Amino acid sequence: PSAGEAYAVVLAAGTGSRFGGDKLLAPLHGRPLVAHAAMAVAEAIAAGILAGGVAVVPPGVTALAWHLDLAGLRLITNEDAGAGIASSLRAGLIALETPSIMAPAGAAVVVLADQPLLRADVIARLVATWRASGRSVRPRYALRPEEPGHPVLLDRALWPLARGLADDEGFGRLLAAKPGRLELVDVPGANPDVDTPADLTQLENRR
C-alpha cells in the first residue's frame, strides 16, 4: 500500500488559443467551464478522497482564480503559462513537494480544467487503485477506450520525471515507456476536453 496522501493538481493556466481565448470562463450549463472540474475536485476533497490540492493559473486572472479558490484549492501562479502544459505541471508538483501545513503528498491527481465531465467517483477509483497497488493510475473510459484518459494519478516516485518535459508535453510518453509503473482502471462514460467553441456547443446540447 502507498504512503502519503493524494492531492489534486489542477492545470488551469493554458491560453485557450484554439478556443479564441478565455476558454475556462466560457459558460456551460449556466456556470463557467472551469467551475465544473473545480467542483468535482471539491467534492473529492470533501469526501476525504483527496487531502487537498493546488491549481496552477496564469498571472492576473481574478475571475478564474476565484472559482478555483472557492473549490478549496491553493493557487499557484505560473509566470511561464504561455510556454505550455509542462511548466504548469512542474509548478504544481513542486508546490506539493514544498513543506507546508499539508500532510505529506504521496500522489498527484493531475486534472485538466477544460474537462467539465470530470467526476469525483472516477477520482475515488484512481486513489483506491493507487493505495492498493502503489502504481500510477489512468482511467479508461467506456465510451472512448482508445483515448488516454484523464485525470492521471502520478505516484510521487515519478514526479522527478517532470523535469524532462517541455512545451505541451505531459506524462503520456513517459508513462507509455514504463508500462509496469501504470495501471489502467475501466470506468463508465467519457471525459472529453473542450478545445474549441464547437466542443462546448456539443456538451451544451447533451443535457
Side-chain angles (χ1 to χ4, degrees), residues 146-169:
E146 72 290 344
E147 292 181 12
H150 287 91
V152 178
L153 182 149
L154 296 173
D155 181 76
R156 187 166 182 154
L158 293 185
W159 294 4
L161 297 177
R163 295 191 200 105
L165 300 176
D167 304 323
D168 263 330
E169 185 180 28

Side-chain angles (χ1 to χ4, degrees), residues 15 17 19 27 31 40 49 58 63 106-107 120 125 127 137 142 157 161 171 180 185 188 196 202 205:
T15 57
S17 54
F19 192 86
R31 290 190 296 159
I49 298 158
R125 285 285 307 280
V127 173
V137 193
L161 297 177
F171 266 77
V185 173
T196 65
Q202 196 173 5
N205 293 337

Side-chain angles (χ1 to χ4, degrees), residues 8-15 24 34 38 41 53-61 64-69 72-96 108-114:
V9 173
V10 180
L11 302 181
T15 57
L24 293 178
V34 68
V41 172
V54 299
V56 185
V57 297
V61 284
L64 176 66
W66 185 83
H67 290 284
L68 295 159
D69 183 54
L73 297 163
R74 186 155 61 97
L75 300 178
I76 308 296
T77 302
N78 180 8
E79 301 290 344
D80 295 323
I85 206 168
S87 66
S88 290
L89 191 47
R90 271 195 297 276
L93 294 175
I94 287 168
L96 292 187
V109 177
V110 180
V111 171
L112 306 181
D114 63 356

Side-chain angles (χ1 to χ4, degrees), residues 26-33 36 116-117 194 200 203-205 207:
L28 174 65
H29 302 326
R31 290 190 296 159
L33 187 63
H36 295 265
L117 300 189
V194 172
L200 190 63
L203 285 179
E204 188 73 49
N205 293 337
R207 274 187 187 282

